[in-house]
Amino acid sequence: MSYRQLLGSMVTLFLRERVFRTRATLALLIFAAFNTLWSAVALPLSEMSLSHSAIGAFGLAGVAGAVAAGPAGRLNDRGYARWTTGGALVLLVLCWLPIALTRQSLWALAVGALLLDLAVQAVHVTNQSLIFGLRPDAGSRVVGGYMVFYSIGSGLGAIASTTVYSLAGWGGVCILGAAFSAAALVVWLPSR
């Protein structure tokens, strides 16, 4: 196939494979939520006079969140992909409650960020395990198409969060992140 045909075939895969459509949409929304936090969190923290090193230390929550990949993969292997996704998406919605308390408690931010990263990792691993088995003959195209949605979501979260912060402050950012998270939960519900 030519390069143009390969790109066109990703669109065809998206149109024909319901699981791919659902999981790609979930990727867009969870990574929009993820980048809503991580693109804007330095703004309120810098207003609280934290040093650059202290602000950067909150990124360590992301390392802890990576721990979710192993258990999520094992649950998927045992046939619990739907439950793993559903539980992680509920967690993704709820994590915005402690994140909203950032100005009152940095511990709340740390807990919320850890929960967000755990939830996003669990859904991402579940997504990948489900889409890889769809079309073994088109594995790289499925992954490429999935990553397009991942990237759009990441960019959307980054742009939207900094814009919302300038208009509505940290509370607005938290509402935005919770809205992306709730939208992902709504997308998942019919796929149960």
Side-chain angles (χ1 to χ4, degrees):
M1 276 196 240
S2 70
Y3 184 68
R4 176 176 269 152
Q5 289 171 322
L6 284 171
L7 292 177
S9 71
M10 285 194 287
V11 173
T12 302
L13 285 170
F14 182 79
L15 295 173
R16 289 186 181 163
E17 299 287 348
R18 183 187 54 79
V19 171
F20 181 57
R21 283 191 306 274
T22 300
R23 292 298 166 161
T25 304
L26 287 176
L28 186 149
L29 292 167
I30 66 170
F31 286 104
F34 181 84
N35 268 7
T36 294
L37 172 66
W38 292 114
S39 294
V41 74
L43 301 170
L45 294 179
S46 62
E47 290 174 2
M48 297 165 66
S49 300
L50 269 71
S51 70
H52 295 294
S53 298
I55 293 170
F58 281 96
L60 295 176
V63 173
V67 171
R74 286 189 291 280
L75 286 170
N76 291 325
D77 291 343
R78 293 182 184 138
Y80 297 111
R82 286 180 288 173
W83 293 108
T84 303
T85 302
L89 290 173
V90 168
L91 188 63
L92 188 61
V93 172
L94 295 175
C95 77
W96 291 97
L97 294 171
I99 291 170
L101 300 173
T102 294
R103 293 188 190 277
Q104 290 79 30
S105 169
L106 294 178
W107 284 107
L109 171 61
V111 167
L114 173 66
L115 295 176
L116 178 133
D117 283 359
L118 286 169
V120 168
Q121 278 290 340
V123 176
H124 184 49
V125 167
T126 304
N127 286 349
Q128 290 177 327
S129 78
L130 292 174
I131 66 168
F132 287 157
L134 286 176
R135 295 283 303 274
D137 61 314
S140 61
R141 288 180 281 153
V142 171
V143 172
Y146 176 80
M147 295 308 289
V148 166
F149 284 84
Y150 169 110
S151 299
I152 291 169
S154 295
L156 177 64
I159 292 167
S161 65
T162 53
T163 302
V164 167
Y165 188 83
S166 69
L167 299 171
W170 187 244
V173 169
C174 293
I175 291 169
L176 175 67
F180 282 134
S181 304
L185 187 58
V186 168
V187 166
W188 171 78
L189 284 172
S191 72
R192 293 178 305 131

